[in-house]
Amino acid sequence: MKNIRNFCIIAHIDHGKSTLADRLLDFTGSVTDREKQDQLLDNMDLERERGITIKSHAIQMEYTYEGEQYILNLIDTPGHVDFSYEVSRSIAACEGALLIVDAAQSIQAQTISNLYLALENDLEIIPVLNKIDLPSANPEEVTDDIVDLLGCDPEEVIPASGKTGLGVENILAAIIERIPAPEGNPNEPLQALIFDSVYNPFRGVETYFRVINGSIRKGQSIKFINTGKSYFADEVGTLKLKQVPKQDIKAGDVGYLITGIKDAREVKVGDTITDAKTPTTNAIGGFEDVKPMVFAGIYPVDTEDYEELRASMEKLQLNDASLVFQPESSAALGFGFRCGFLGMLHLEIIQERLEREFDMTVITTVPNVSYHAFTNKNPDDIVIVNNPSDLPEPSTLNRVEEPYIKATIITKSDFVGPVMSLCIEKRGQITNQTYLTTERVELSFDMPLAEIVFDFYDRLKTVSKGYASFDYSPIGMRASKLVRVDILLNGQTVDALSALVHADNAYTIGKKMTEKLKELIPRQQFDIPVQAAIGAKIIARETIKALRKDVTAKCYGGDISRKRKLLEKQKKGKKRMRQVGNVEIPQQAFMAVLKLND
C-alpha cells in the first residue's frame, strides 16, 4: 500500500487538464505510440468535438522512482460548473489533487470552487502552472496569485506545459513525495466506495470502486449496502487504458467490478460494497445527494417510444449520477419525464447523448427551476412547483418563493460596468466587490436562479469578451412577485410553453414569445391567434395569417355580389376549420423561447 498514490486533476475550463493527463500517460509509458491521441481519456465523440471533459476518467499508471515501483491512480475531472458533481465524486476517491492554473489566464472562478471542494476533503494540493510556453504567459504574476490563494511557497508551484511535456517529471516526483499513501487495513472486512459506473450492453453494469479496507477477490460473494442486494464478483481488475483482470484488489487501490447486473437501478454511485458473509457494519459517508438546479420535461417524439426512453434514461443515469428524473404527462406532448439537471450545458449534453448513444429523438420543454408556493388556506404548507402548471390559482395563492444563488464572477477591471448592468438587469443585488489584482476583480451577487437558467452564461461571455468566469452556490429561498404566463394557440393553452416569470418582466416576455412563435409556427388554412395570458387576462397577441386560395379568380367581371357570395362561403369554411383545426408545434419553437434576446 505504501507505493500506491491516488490523485485527481482539478482546474477551470480550458486550463489544460486532459492534455497534461496525456503527457503523464506518455511519460510513464502507459500508452503505446499506436494508441496515442489528443485528449486520450475523453472517450466520447461529444467530448472531442466540443473540447470539454464531461465525465471523470480513471486510469492506472506504473512509474519507477528512485529504484522503487509505484502505482499511480489518476482521475481526470471536468472543469465546467455543471459537472462539479463528477469532481466531488472523484475527490472522494483520492488523497491528493493537482491544481492546474493556466499561466495566461490566472486563477478563475472554477479553480477556486474546485480547490475548496478538495480542501474540504483534506486532500494534499500540488499547484501546477500550466501553459508556460505560451507567448502571453505571465509565470511570475500568476505564481504570486497561486501563493496568495494557497499560502504555499513559490518553490512548491511546478511550472509545466501540457503541450511540450515540460515539467512532467517534476509533477510525478511531487505526486510520489507529497501525496500521502492511502490508509486502510487489508485484514478488516471489505469496504469499498463506488465512485462511477457504466453500462456495457454485453456484460451488464461495470462498477468502478476504490477499496478503503479489506480486499475484493474474483468469485467472492459481495453485497451492496444501500440496495441490500448480494452478487457474485465475476471479474475484478484494474483500469489501464483497457481493463486488466486481476485475482484480487487490495485496500487503497482503485479497480472495476463486473457482476452481470442487467438492471441499471440496482447500482448507486456513492454506495458501499462489502462482503456478503462478513459484512462491514458502517457504510462510507460523505456523499451528498445531488441537488438539481434546472428542470425540464423530456418527451419522446412518438408516444410509443416512452418505455424505450425510460430504459435509455436509466442507463444514462448510471453513467451520470447527477441526472434525476420522474414520469409526468402533458396535454400537448403525451407521456414523458420531468428531469433535473445541474445547469443548461448539462441539459444540452444529456439531450445530445440520448440522441447519439440511444438513437432517441426527444422534445425538450422550456427549462425552469423549482419554486415553493404557499396558499391562503394553509399558509404553512409548502407546495413544490417544478412545473409552471402546478402553480395554484392566483385567487388562492398567498406567496411564491424562488431559489436564490450567490454568484461569484471574476473578470478584468475593464468589464466591471457591463457585467454589473447585466446582473442588475437579471434582478441581481451586488453584495461584494474585491480587487484581486489591479487588473482582476471579483464581484459577488445575490441573484434568482431562474434568471441565470436561460442565456445568462452566454451573455456574460459576450459582455466581457470571454474574460469573465462564473461560479455559483445556492443560498436558500426568498419571496418573489411571480406570475405564470400561459401561451394560447387558437384559444387552447399549450402547457409545455408556460413559464413562471417575475411580474415586472411578464409583459415583455409575453410579447417576445408571441412574436417568436409567429415566426416559427407554419401557416395553416385558417387564422391562428397566438396569445400570452396571465390567468384570464390577455397581455400580448399576434396572428398567424391563413393561407388563402383565390376563390374569386374565376370571376372576370359581372356583378360584385358573385364575388361576395364566394368570399362568404370561403369565410364560413375557414371558421368551421378553425373550430376543429389542430396546430402542430415544431421542436425549434420550444427551444426558441430560450433565446428570446437573439
Side-chain angles (χ1 to χ4, degrees), residues 9 41 52 71 194 225 239 342 397 443 473 544 558 594:
I9 302 185
L41 294 178
I52 55 176
I71 290 175
I194 300 177
I225 288 184
L239 297 154
L342 298 182
L397 198 60
L443 302 168
S473 53
I544 301 169
L594 312 184

Side-chain angles (χ1 to χ4, degrees), residues 179-426:
I179 293 177
E183 291 172 4
N185 187 342
N187 303 320
E188 277 187 24
L190 168 66
Q191 192 185 24
L193 169 77
I194 300 177
F195 65 87
D196 205 356
S197 50
V198 285
Y199 187 82
N200 180 328
F202 305 107
R203 312 193 65 183
V205 179
E206 297 175 0
T207 311
Y208 298 162
F209 60 85
R210 150 87 199 269
V211 185
I212 309 290
N213 288 317
S215 68
I216 185 165
R217 292 181 318 283
K218 184 181 174 177
Q220 182 178 356
S221 179
I222 54 144
K223 180 180 169 189
F224 288 2
I225 288 184
N226 197 340
T227 54
K229 298 198 173 179
S230 298
Y231 306 98
F232 192 66
D234 294 340
E235 186 182 305
V236 295
T238 51
L239 297 154
K240 294 285 178 67
L241 198 55
K242 295 188 173 60
Q243 294 173 339
V244 183
K246 294 271 177 79
Q247 278 307 310
D248 64 347
I249 291 180
K250 295 191 169 62
D253 213 346
V254 172
Y256 72 92
L257 161 76
I258 294 173
T259 52
I261 300 173
K262 285 285 187 278
D263 186 354
R265 285 169 296 193
E266 291 181 22
V267 180
K268 293 263 191 302
V269 167
D271 199 353
T272 306
I273 306 173
T274 187
D275 188 64
K277 296 189 182 88
T278 53
T280 178
T281 44
N282 49 342
I284 303 161
F287 252 80
E288 77 273 12
D289 264 350
V290 54
K291 294 184 190 70
M293 291 290 185
V294 177
F295 293 86
I298 288 186
Y299 293 85
V301 171
D302 194 345
T303 324
E304 292 162 10
D305 297 340
Y306 174 72
E307 281 305 322
E308 206 178 318
L309 178 63
R310 178 196 286 275
S312 307
M313 298 276 271
E314 281 170 359
K315 285 171 190 167
L316 197 55
Q317 189 181 35
L318 186 70
N319 193 246
D320 181 351
S322 52
L323 168 71
V324 290
F325 63 90
Q326 61 194 53
E328 74 160 3
S329 64
S330 141
L333 300 169
F335 290 105
F337 295 97
R338 186 94 199 140
C339 307
F341 307 95
L342 298 182
M344 287 301 285
L345 178 70
H346 190 208
L347 159 69
E348 217 175 298
I349 295 291
I350 293 288
Q351 195 179 342
E352 193 116 346
R353 284 183 71 183
L354 279 170
E355 285 178 14
R356 288 186 187 207
E357 295 172 29
F358 303 100
D359 288 332
M360 296 297 310
T361 337
V362 292
I363 291 176
T364 313
T365 63
V366 184
N368 59 13
V369 298
S370 187
Y371 299 94
H372 287 177
F374 298 86
T375 54
N376 289 326
K377 200 172 171 188
N378 16 2
D380 296 335
D381 289 0
I382 298 174
V383 181
I384 293 177
V385 181
N386 283 337
N387 198 339
S389 54
D390 302 341
L391 191 74
E393 281 302 305
S395 52
T396 62
L397 198 60
N398 180 314
R399 67 182 191 282
V400 182
E401 292 184 353
E402 63 176 333
Y404 263 69
I405 54 157
K406 177 182 164 51
T408 308
I409 298 170
I410 297 179
T411 184
K412 285 192 159 181
S413 46
D414 313 356
F415 305 118
V416 170
V419 168
M420 272 192 182
S421 53
L422 170 67
C423 293
I424 289 163
E425 179 196 327
K426 295 281 188 185

Side-chain angles (χ1 to χ4, degrees), residues 87-123:
V87 183
S88 71
R89 296 191 339 222
S90 309
I91 283 173
C94 297
E95 278 84 31
L98 295 182
L99 178 73
I100 294 181
V101 180
D102 185 327
Q105 294 185 20
S106 190
I107 289 161
Q108 305 271 331
Q110 209 53 34
T111 319
I112 296 174
S113 65
N114 284 342
L115 169 70
Y116 287 157
L117 264 179
L119 290 174
E120 275 169 30
N121 286 303
D122 295 335
L123 263 61

Side-chain angles (χ1 to χ4, degrees), residues 391-535:
L391 191 74
E393 281 302 305
S395 52
T396 62
L397 198 60
N398 180 314
R399 67 182 191 282
V400 182
E401 292 184 353
E402 63 176 333
Y404 263 69
I405 54 157
K406 177 182 164 51
T408 308
I409 298 170
I410 297 179
T411 184
K412 285 192 159 181
S413 46
D414 313 356
F415 305 118
V416 170
V419 168
M420 272 192 182
S421 53
L422 170 67
C423 293
I424 289 163
E425 179 196 327
K426 295 281 188 185
R427 300 194 282 134
Q429 297 156 348
I430 187 157
T431 54
N432 199 356
Q433 178 179 356
T434 325
Y435 276 80
L436 302 170
T437 65
T438 49
E439 282 294 298
R440 290 168 61 250
V441 191
E442 180 181 9
L443 302 168
S444 297
F445 289 91
D446 286 356
M447 290 175 77
L449 178 62
E451 293 288 342
I452 67 154
V453 164
F454 289 129
D455 53 357
F456 178 76
Y457 198 67
D458 302 343
R459 286 184 62 197
L460 178 67
K461 286 283 178 217
T462 313
V463 299
S464 64
K465 299 187 181 164
Y467 275 109
S469 64
F470 170 68
D471 185 49
Y472 60 85
S473 53
I475 51 171
M477 309 293 281
R478 295 185 188 177
S480 246
K481 205 167 125 197
L482 296 169
V483 290
R484 183 173 82 219
V485 176
D486 291 319
I487 297 292
L488 288 82
L489 280 184
N490 202 9
Q492 303 285 317
T493 308
V494 183
D495 56 356
L497 286 172
S498 299
L500 277 177
V501 295
H502 196 263
D504 300 347
N505 308 340
Y507 172 73
T508 332
I509 287 177
K511 185 97 183 98
K512 280 183 180 171
M513 274 164 105
T514 50
E515 284 168 3
K516 204 83 173 181
L517 290 170
K518 184 186 174 184
E519 293 165 25
L520 290 165
I521 292 174
R523 289 169 71 186
Q524 309 283 337
Q525 295 283 345
F526 51 93
D527 279 2
I528 308 168
V530 182
Q531 297 163 310
I534 298 173

